[in-house]
Amino acid sequence: MKLTRAQLHEIYYFLRLNRRVDEQLTNLYRQGKVVGGVYASLGQEAISVGSAYALGKDDLIGPMIRNVGAMMVRGFRPRDVFLQYMGRKDGPTGGRDANTHFGDLSRGVVAPISMLGELVPVLAGAALAAKIRKENRVALTYVGDGAISTGPCHEGLNFAAVFKLPLVVIAENNGWAYSTPIEKQMAVPDIARRGKVYAIPATIVDGNDVLEVYKVTRSAAERARRGGGPALIECKTMRMKGHAEHDDARYMPSGELEKWRKKDPILRYEKYLRGKKLMTAKESAAIEARVEKEIMEDVALAESSPFPQPQEAARPVWA
Ligand SMILES: Cc1ncc(C[n+]2csc(CCOP(=O)(O)OP(=O)(O)O)c2C)c(N)n1
Ligand SMILES: [Mg+2]
């Protein structure tokens, strides 16, 4: 399906929103207003936005910590992310959990969990339920180059392949799992090679090209919807910061980030739209103004929300 001019602009809006949420979270962290760490999606926005944008509204996603962009596409707002990271009462979990550990099934978003790889069997289960109920839904989730090597990820992929479940797994290969480079935890150069052993079609995609991510995810989702079974999509990208805000990434070889900065997914997409005369300077300025207004309003709103009362901590846990 060809994207309309309005849709191309909407994708640009979500990319910029994702980037600005990240930048604002960094500011809040440095001001001591965040409870816990901040995990950026810097440099990986095209994967979250392109893949989530390729799904239908009844499809399910299981985002990981760097997939704020996907959560925005599914209808969460920057305020949800700020409130949650700041542990405030009006946040999605009422201050009971941190960072992006929240979801909403009415938006088709399964809450992320910290244990790497675990979302693969969870979303495979959701895909199985959809198949049994003949709901024509696709389930999609994300794994990193570290998560792909966990036992649960293997079990989930294998299960989905055997039962031909409508599951799309996006492998975000950013080269690092905390301080471990990919060559120290995998003996093959590409995650996509693993597709073959499960009999799952696997595609390698430039993860910094939002339209390519969109296109490949969309065709994988359509194939899954037709009963063609799961797909694995390896997106090559780079984590443009340390694992989290507290990690200065001094273990990364010098020059690596410089090289990747030239491939910034948002600047690249903007240049593409401009070059093809699909977005004028006036139109991009209007999108920027909208993003800025929403970010500023939502930061103010989050900062004005109180912390929860201690006695509320166990309320949804114990009847
Ligand atoms: C099963 C498990 N082991 C270890 C951890 C601790 N841990 C959290 S994030 C992370 C690195 C993840 O790397 P990757 O999967 O490549 O994702 P990225 O951070 O690069 O997006 C580790 C080791 C965890 N959360 N779960
Ligand atoms: Mg990684």
Side-chain angles (χ1 to χ4, degrees), residues 10 36 46 53 58 67 76 121 129 133 206 213 255 285:
E10 194 177 29
Y53 206 82
D58 293 328
N67 302 118
F76 280 112
R133 295 177 184 159
D206 178 345
V213 175

Side-chain angles (χ1 to χ4, degrees), residues 137-180:
R137 284 177 185 208
V138 171
L140 179 148
T141 191
Y142 303 86
V143 283
D145 45 283
I148 195 82
S149 294
T150 60
C153 180
H154 161 69
E155 291 170 22
L157 283 172
N158 185 57
F159 184 80
V162 170
F163 294 99
K164 277 197 169 297
L165 302 179
L167 176 73
V168 178
V169 174
I170 308 275
E172 299 190 79
N173 185 353
N174 61 15
W176 295 88
Y178 222 121
S179 57
T180 306

Side-chain angles (χ1 to χ4, degrees), residues 12-319:
Y12 181 73
Y13 160 77
F14 281 123
L15 289 171
R16 285 296 307 152
L17 194 65
N18 189 170
R19 177 74 51 99
R20 290 292 295 120
V21 167
D22 251 27
E23 288 171 352
Q24 214 53 51
L25 282 174
T26 303
N27 289 351
L28 293 167
Y29 178 83
R30 291 187 184 160
Q31 291 164 13
K33 292 173 182 165
V34 166
V35 181
V38 166
Y39 306 82
S41 36
L42 186 67
Q44 300 182 209
E45 298 92 341
I47 302 172
S48 293
V49 173
S51 57
Y53 206 82
L55 297 182
K57 72 169 185 9
D58 293 328
D59 294 334
L60 290 165
I61 72 160
M64 281 300 280
I65 201 138
R66 302 194 200 282
N67 302 118
V68 164
M71 296 172 90
M72 298 289 111
V73 172
R74 297 306 295 219
F76 280 112
R77 299 303 307 157
R79 68 186 61 177
D80 298 314
V81 180
F82 298 144
L83 283 161
Q84 176 80 0
Y85 262 100
M86 293 164 79
R88 302 301 172 102
K89 180 173 174 287
D90 302 313
T93 63
R96 291 178 189 86
D97 206 338
N99 55 62
T100 65
H101 289 172
F102 63 96
D104 179 0
L105 289 179
S106 73
R107 288 177 168 129
V109 180
V110 176
I113 38 181
S114 273
M115 288 68 84
L116 298 174
E118 295 281 356
L119 275 177
V120 179
V122 171
L123 272 288
L128 175 65
K131 190 173 172 170
I132 291 169
R133 295 177 184 159
K134 298 191 175 18
E135 282 176 344
N136 204 26
R137 284 177 185 208
V138 171
L140 179 148
T141 191
Y142 303 86
V143 283
D145 45 283
I148 195 82
S149 294
T150 60
C153 180
H154 161 69
E155 291 170 22
L157 283 172
N158 185 57
F159 184 80
V162 170
F163 294 99
K164 277 197 169 297
L165 302 179
L167 176 73
V168 178
V169 174
I170 308 275
E172 299 190 79
N173 185 353
N174 61 15
W176 295 88
Y178 222 121
S179 57
T180 306
I182 187 162
E183 61 274 12
K184 289 225 169 114
Q185 65 89 15
M186 263 178 56
V188 289
D190 301 311
I191 290 170
R193 280 220 204 160
R194 295 192 175 174
K196 203 170 178 176
V197 303
Y198 302 109
I200 293 179
T203 316
I204 296 179
V205 171
D206 178 345
N208 287 25
D209 181 342
V210 70
L211 295 181
E212 199 184 330
V213 175
Y214 168 82
K215 201 173 73 192
V216 173
T217 309
R218 193 165 168 112
S219 83
E222 277 166 8
R223 184 178 160 278
R225 229 183 283 286
R226 289 193 304 270
L232 178 63
I233 301 171
E234 176 180 4
C235 298
K236 304 273 194 194
T237 188
M238 177 50 63
R239 193 190 70 196
M240 296 302 291
K241 275 190 169 180
H243 177 69
E245 221 39 56
H246 56 260
D247 167 20
D248 66 7
R250 70 181 67 177
Y251 48 81
M252 283 172 92
S254 70
E256 186 150 357
L257 293 182
E258 278 316 308
K259 197 180 82 199
W260 279 88
R261 211 160 276 138
K262 296 193 182 82
K263 301 192 230 180
D264 182 274
I266 307 184
L267 292 176
R268 222 170 120 184
Y269 183 54
E270 185 179 358
K271 206 170 153 196
Y272 166 83
L273 293 178
R274 287 285 174 80
K276 296 265 178 201
K277 307 223 179 307
L278 291 165
M279 183 171 73
T280 63
K282 205 173 151 195
E283 285 169 327
S284 68
I287 293 170
E288 203 54 44
R290 178 184 164 198
V291 168
E292 216 41 44
K293 181 169 179 286
E294 292 174 356
I295 291 285
M296 288 307 147
E297 280 173 6
D298 281 15
V299 168
L301 188 139
E303 293 209 58
S304 68
S305 172
F307 285 102
Q309 292 298 313
Q311 59 270 29
E312 286 179 27
R315 207 192 284 154
V317 181
W318 302 102

